[in-house]
């Protein structure tokens, strides 16, 4: 994965919600790391499930995709895939550039 910007256009109607949403995803990364160290696959699975359900609603479909893979990997206790999902989420958040598009009214 390159360090190229990941450009996403978000409707202005939800633009105010994006900073808080992304901040919570950063918190999820820390929680995933701690849960991984503790072998708490259920917690990781729950976070994956939440990401899977929420990303698309904010126009961030890749978060939903990563969440689905994280949920499945945690259910299988596949440590390599969990680590990969965590890395992918971190990479996505680090390289995300949000643009706001006006809504047609």
């Amino acid at each position: 994965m390159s360090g190229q910007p990941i450009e996403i256009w978000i409707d202005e109607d939800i633009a105010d919600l994006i900073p808080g949403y992304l901040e919570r995803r950063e918190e999820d990364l820390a929680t995933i790391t701690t849960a991984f160290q503790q072998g708490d696959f259920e917690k990781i699975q729950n976070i994956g499930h939440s990401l899977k359900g929420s990303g698309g609603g904010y126009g961030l479909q890749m978060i939903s995709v990563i969440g689905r893979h994280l949920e499945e990997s945690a259910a299988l206790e596949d440590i390599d895939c969990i680590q990969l999902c965590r890395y992918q989420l971190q990479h996505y958040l680090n390289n995300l550039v949000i643009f706001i598009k006006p809504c047609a009214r």
Side-chain angles (χ1 to χ4, degrees):
M1 284 184 237
S2 69
Q4 295 295 320
I6 301 166
E7 299 178 353
I8 303 291
W9 287 86
I10 301 293
D11 288 335
E12 67 182 342
D13 288 349
I14 63 167
D16 291 345
L17 303 174
I18 297 299
Y21 179 78
L22 294 176
E23 184 176 310
R24 289 186 300 279
R25 300 308 59 90
E26 291 288 346
E27 292 168 3
D28 285 343
L29 282 168
T31 303
I32 291 167
T33 299
T34 301
F36 184 81
Q37 292 167 346
Q38 297 171 346
D40 191 344
F41 296 104
E42 184 176 350
K43 181 170 283 220
I44 297 168
Q45 188 174 0
N46 289 338
I47 292 171
H49 183 78
S50 176
L51 294 175
K52 178 178 75 173
S54 68
Y58 289 90
L60 303 169
Q61 285 77 10
M62 184 53 72
I63 289 180
S64 290
V65 171
I66 294 168
R68 180 173 54 86
H69 290 295
L70 183 63
E71 181 181 22
E72 292 168 356
S73 299
L76 298 171
E77 298 185 10
D78 185 333
I79 59 174
D80 291 332
C81 286
I82 292 169
Q83 291 281 60
L84 178 60
C85 290
R86 191 205 172 285
Y87 172 77
Q88 289 171 331
L89 182 58
Q90 181 71 64
H91 174 81
Y92 185 79
L93 295 174
N94 286 347
N95 293 286
L96 188 61
V97 178
I98 302 286
F99 294 98
I100 309 302
K101 62 181 173 185
C103 293
R105 294 178 197 218

